[in-house]
Amino acid sequence: MKSQLKIILAAFIGFLTLSCTPDEGAEIDTRLLVKQPIDPNTQPNELNKELIIYGELEEGNMPSAKNPDQIKITVSISSALITNDNFLFLPFAFDSNEELKGIYIEVAGAQEHWNAPVELVNPTDNSFAVAIGIPSFIQKGNFVVAYSIYDQNNNISEKQSINVSIVDSENRCGNGQSFPRVNGQDGITVKTYDMGDLPGVVNISYFMYTQKDRMDVRYNGEWVASTSPVLLEGGQAPPFKLCREASPTDGFVSSGGTFSIPYDPQISREISIYVSGCLEGGTLWFFDVNCPESGNPTTPVNTICDNGQLQDVFDPSHENYHIYPKEGDELATEICDPSINPDCTVSSVFNAMLQQANFIAPTPDNSPVEDCKLTWVEILTPTNPVITKINYFENSVTNYTMANQVDKYGFERSHLLHPGKVTRTVELIDGKVVVSTKGEGTGWAASINTFFSKTVWKSVDEDLKEFYNQ
């Protein structure tokens, strides 16, 4: 790891040298320290020169392939999303008969190229990540980075390329807006957020689907949170993995969680989130970022989908209070057996359940399940509105009944069992992956609810089971 850090830490030092001050007493026109903005769409030469790479800038385009059968880039990423004043980490896997010596890098359209040395942690390693600094004066836009690798005998691989998009830092705190959810796939995504003027705690919630992905969070020049059990150090690059090789020990997970980051605008206003999607596996992930909350935030009356109708707690002393299944009963269906099907996991079944609304409720709606989505379910009549809340961390979905909702015909409808809720959870019980259902409420039709619960939910479970095992 030390040798790999040399390259990346040197690149970080390059960032620092941009702002070094001259010796006292020296006369200098300070206006020369202000860099002119560079448009990556139209200024490839200028952009290429200003990239921060530990290496030498050489005239002309990068050399052509030479004996490419001797050295090959076997895995690479095709695109990356990043904000300026950040580092683009360019990962790749390779196959070489001789020791890897260096990498050529250039912006497409530029008339010069970079020649950067590569020092592997272990000579037998077959993957590497190069840090490319994107200065703050590079404007929003798109460009292509081409690169090839060479060995100690000067054999040169075929050229690869990556499409890079530079996007604006998100800045919504303090103006009543919220940050949109970020969805992604394989490759590297870097998003930077200006968290505003107020100190507090920034909550970052994430979910990685069946294929494993990794998240790292950087604040005030340091790595402060990660899905890895060990934080990255200094300028260390987040690793990348093929999906078939990714594991939690490397920080790649197929689950959800929340990072709570203490934020002080006097220290730094920006938080950067790096997501490394595993490669060659069709991975999917998302994350949500909230503006800083005070250390002792006031608990809102109702935080479920910002809807005051949705009731999560019910009074057991209420005359219509009911809950199912009763203690000692069971309302669960086995979906698959990991001892028979090695692909049978809690996360894979949960992901399947989210594919269609009719897997979470008795409804003809087979569109994908979405957080806080309104769905019409069939409980004696087909006009019972519910709002769905997804809990990615517990692999569960809760349907909350609604009242006074207007249907597609313009009629106002209320759920027959309102107020109430039903939670569907995918879990591992006795070595089998099952879907369990629990209902609770104080609606007037308590006896109808409990009587038909097994019949209704068994049918929904069987639809999911058939879909998953097809």
Side-chain angles (χ1 to χ4, degrees):
M1 181 60 70
K2 289 182 179 178
S3 56
Q4 183 173 346
L5 284 176
K6 289 179 183 177
I7 291 179
I8 300 169
L9 284 173
F12 271 92
I13 293 170
F15 251 142
L16 295 177
T17 59
L18 287 178
S19 59
C20 288
T21 57
D23 294 335
E24 290 186 9
E27 294 184 3
I28 187 169
D29 183 352
T30 57
R31 289 174 298 177
L32 298 177
L33 299 178
V34 179
K35 293 285 187 177
Q36 293 297 314
I38 292 176
D39 182 354
N41 299 295
T42 61
Q43 297 178 277
N45 279 318
E46 293 81 354
L47 173 62
N48 191 67
K49 290 179 180 179
E50 296 297 343
L51 292 179
I52 300 172
I53 298 175
Y54 179 60
E56 297 293 331
L57 188 61
E58 300 179 347
E59 292 185 358
N61 295 121
M62 50 194 280
S64 300
K66 178 183 176 182
N67 299 324
D69 58 321
Q70 299 296 308
I71 183 169
K72 301 175 182 178
I73 296 175
T74 56
V75 179
S76 60
I77 60 175
S78 60
S79 62
L81 184 74
I82 191 170
T83 50
N84 62 17
D85 199 22
N86 238 318
F87 271 88
L88 167 66
F89 292 108
L90 178 61
F92 59 89
F94 65 92
D95 182 21
S96 176
N97 293 332
E98 302 293 337
E99 184 177 345
L100 184 64
K101 183 179 179 181
I103 181 170
Y104 296 119
I105 303 171
E106 71 179 21
V107 173
Q111 296 175 353
E112 295 175 305
H113 70 276
W114 288 90
N115 184 353
V118 170
E119 296 182 33
L120 297 177
V121 177
N122 187 316
T124 61
D125 287 347
N126 62 356
S127 63
F128 193 73
V130 177
I132 301 177
I134 309 294
S136 60
F137 50 86
I138 306 300
Q139 296 180 313
K140 182 173 66 173
N142 304 303
F143 62 99
V144 176
V145 172
Y147 61 99
S148 61
I149 57 176
Y150 61 93
D151 64 21
Q152 60 185 359
N153 293 332
N154 204 32
N155 296 312
I156 305 171
S157 73
E158 296 285 359
K159 182 167 59 177
Q160 300 290 325
S161 62
I162 177 174
N163 298 307
V164 181
S165 295
I166 299 180
V167 298
D168 289 332
S169 173
E170 296 273 2
N171 184 354
R172 300 189 178 214
C173 297
N175 57 12
Q177 294 181 304
S178 58
F179 294 114
R181 171 170 290 178
V182 178
N183 297 275
Q185 306 177 56
D186 58 353
I188 296 176
T189 296
V190 183
K191 292 282 287 182
T192 299
Y193 297 87
D194 183 329
M195 303 310 299
D197 300 324
L198 300 178
V201 176
V202 174
N203 290 315
I204 303 168
S205 300
Y206 64 88
F207 187 78
M208 319 304 192
Y209 289 87
T210 306
Q211 300 287 5
K212 297 178 177 66
D213 305 299
R214 173 177 174 133
M215 174 181 283
D216 295 277
V217 181
R218 193 171 180 84
Y219 177 58
N220 191 32
E222 297 181 355
W223 298 107
V224 295
S226 177
T227 51
S228 170
V230 180
L231 289 178
L232 296 168
E233 299 177 2
Q236 189 177 353
F240 86 104
K241 294 287 182 179
L242 298 177
C243 291
R244 64 177 180 269
E245 299 173 346
S247 71
T249 56
D250 298 312
F252 289 81
V253 299
S254 57
S255 60
T258 299
F259 297 131
S260 296
I261 312 298
Y263 170 75
D264 184 348
Q266 300 300 316
I267 296 175
S268 177
R269 292 177 61 93
E270 292 188 334
I271 291 178
S272 294
I273 300 173
Y274 290 68
V275 181
S276 305
C278 70
L279 305 178
E280 295 189 333
T283 188
L284 294 170
W285 52 263
F286 73 80
F287 67 81
D288 296 301
V289 180
N290 294 328
C291 291
E293 299 176 356
S294 62
N296 297 296
T298 301
T299 303
V301 175
N302 195 302
T303 59
I304 305 169
C305 298
D306 296 323
N307 191 308
Q309 265 200 47
L310 308 186
Q311 189 170 333
D312 200 39
V313 179
F314 301 89
D315 182 5
S317 65
H318 191 283
E319 60 180 351
N320 290 328
Y321 177 78
H322 58 281
I323 186 170
Y324 65 84
K326 299 288 187 183
E327 186 175 353
D329 290 343
E330 182 181 85
L331 188 51
T333 300
E334 177 187 325
I335 304 300
C336 59
D337 185 342
S339 67
I340 298 174
N341 177 7
D343 294 327
C344 171
T345 63
V346 169
S347 61
S348 66
V349 172
F350 183 62
N351 291 338
M353 187 168 74
L354 297 182
Q355 297 301 305
Q356 298 181 187
N358 60 306
F359 298 152
I360 66 163
T363 175
D365 184 356
N366 61 2
S367 63
V369 179
E370 297 177 15
D371 196 42
C372 298
K373 175 185 175 183
L374 174 66
T375 301
W376 297 88
V377 304
E378 294 185 349
I379 305 293
L380 298 184
T381 71
T383 54
N384 297 275
V386 300
I387 288 287
T388 299
K389 183 62 183 173
I390 305 174
N391 188 329
Y392 291 96
F393 317 121
E394 295 185 2
N395 298 300
S396 68
V397 171
T398 300
N399 296 321
Y400 295 91
T401 64
M402 295 282 289
N404 306 316
Q405 297 299 299
V406 178
D407 67 12
K408 62 181 179 180
Y409 302 108
F411 295 103
E412 192 174 89
R413 308 288 190 180
S414 295
H415 197 291
L416 180 67
L417 305 175
H418 185 71
K421 69 174 183 179
V422 172
T423 299
R424 306 259 293 155
T425 304
V426 180
E427 52 192 335
L428 192 67
I429 297 180
D430 296 331
K432 312 293 176 59
V433 178
V434 307
V435 175
S436 61
T437 304
K438 296 180 180 179
E440 186 179 14
T442 54
W444 66 271
S447 58
I448 296 176
N449 197 4
T450 53
F451 181 79
F452 285 107
S453 61
K454 285 190 176 182
T455 303
V456 169
W457 293 111
K458 185 67 175 177
S459 176
V460 176
D461 289 347
E462 290 301 325
D463 287 343
L464 171 59
K465 184 175 182 178
E466 180 180 358
F467 175 83
Y468 182 81
N469 292 292
Q470 65 184 358

